Amino acid sequence: RLFVEEQVTITEQTRQFLKVLSRVPAVRNLNLASCNEFLKSIHQDNPQYSTIVAANRDGIIDCCAIPLKKSINVTDRSWFKRINESREFVIDHFIISRAAKKASLPFAYPVFDSDAQLQVAVGAAFDLRHYRTIFQKIPLPRNSVIMVTDRKGTLLYQSFTEKKCLGKPLSECSGFDV
């Protein structure tokens, strides 16, 4: 119950965070030099995210909190497809962030132009390692084992050190019959 409350808080804070970012002119208009600098500086104050990005309407990321060597195409990512379909704030499924190379839970918020067409998708990838700090605040019995899955059963977090199941369906992990 305490974790669920924390997850709801993370979701609402991220939605508000992305909504605010979507109103910053450098982000909204994809002024790349100022957008990159702004996201890089805001990322320093928000380490719970593995990265923060702004993708153009074609699904290309050039504006990123992590300096990029080349553009990242996210048209194949579920969060980008879903934001185009729903036209609303999206919480997506487990990914390995292409910019940060970390296990993440992506969130995205759409920005529309005057013709109601997608202009920018502002995204933040929640660093799943941050769950450790959440569980450290929750009183649990000694030697508790914690596993968090998404709605598809994909393992997002585990408190034990062996990480071979992270990002896979729990049903594929030996020793777990769920």
Side-chain angles (χ1 to χ4, degrees), residues 118-131:
L118 181 68
Q119 179 175 332
V120 178
V122 182
F126 184 78
D127 186 343
L128 295 175
R129 294 181 305 178
H130 189 69
Y131 281 152

Side-chain angles (χ1 to χ4, degrees), residues 20-119:
V20 169
L21 289 182
S22 76
R23 293 193 168 122
V24 174
V27 175
R28 183 178 200 88
N29 300 321
L30 288 175
N31 299 331
L32 295 184
S34 52
C35 182
N36 280 306
E37 189 57 40
F38 176 73
L39 291 187
K40 181 180 174 184
S41 67
I42 204 84
H43 188 224
Q44 292 171 353
D45 297 328
N46 293 279
Q48 71 272 31
Y49 301 113
S50 54
T51 192
I52 305 165
V53 301
N56 69 19
R57 71 182 68 209
D58 298 319
I60 305 299
I61 296 174
D62 286 310
C63 178
C64 184
I66 296 171
L68 299 175
K69 290 183 168 76
K70 64 178 187 171
S71 300
I72 297 174
N73 184 328
V74 292
T75 55
D76 63 325
R77 291 290 204 182
S78 175
W79 66 264
F80 188 76
K81 291 175 184 177
R82 289 180 60 214
I83 208 160
N84 271 300
E85 292 167 7
S86 73
R87 303 175 58 80
E88 297 177 342
F89 172 70
V90 168
I91 307 162
D92 206 49
H93 311 289
F94 172 90
I95 62 168
I96 299 295
S97 165
R98 289 180 178 151
K101 311 286 189 252
K102 294 180 183 176
S104 305
L105 189 61
F107 295 84
Y109 190 89
V111 177
F112 302 102
D113 63 18
S114 59
D115 296 325
Q117 298 299 310
L118 181 68
Q119 179 175 332

Side-chain angles (χ1 to χ4, degrees), residues 7 20 59 67 83 106 126 132 149 161 174:
Q7 186 63 48
V20 169
I83 208 160
F126 184 78
R132 177 177 300 286
T149 66
T161 56
S174 61

Side-chain angles (χ1 to χ4, degrees), residues 148-169:
V148 178
T149 66
D150 66 9
R151 62 185 159 264
K152 291 179 160 184
T154 302
L155 188 62
L156 302 178
Y157 172 83
Q158 59 194 35
S159 60
F160 47 95
T161 56
E162 190 173 314
K163 304 291 186 203
K164 69 179 180 181
C165 289
L166 200 60
K168 295 180 182 172

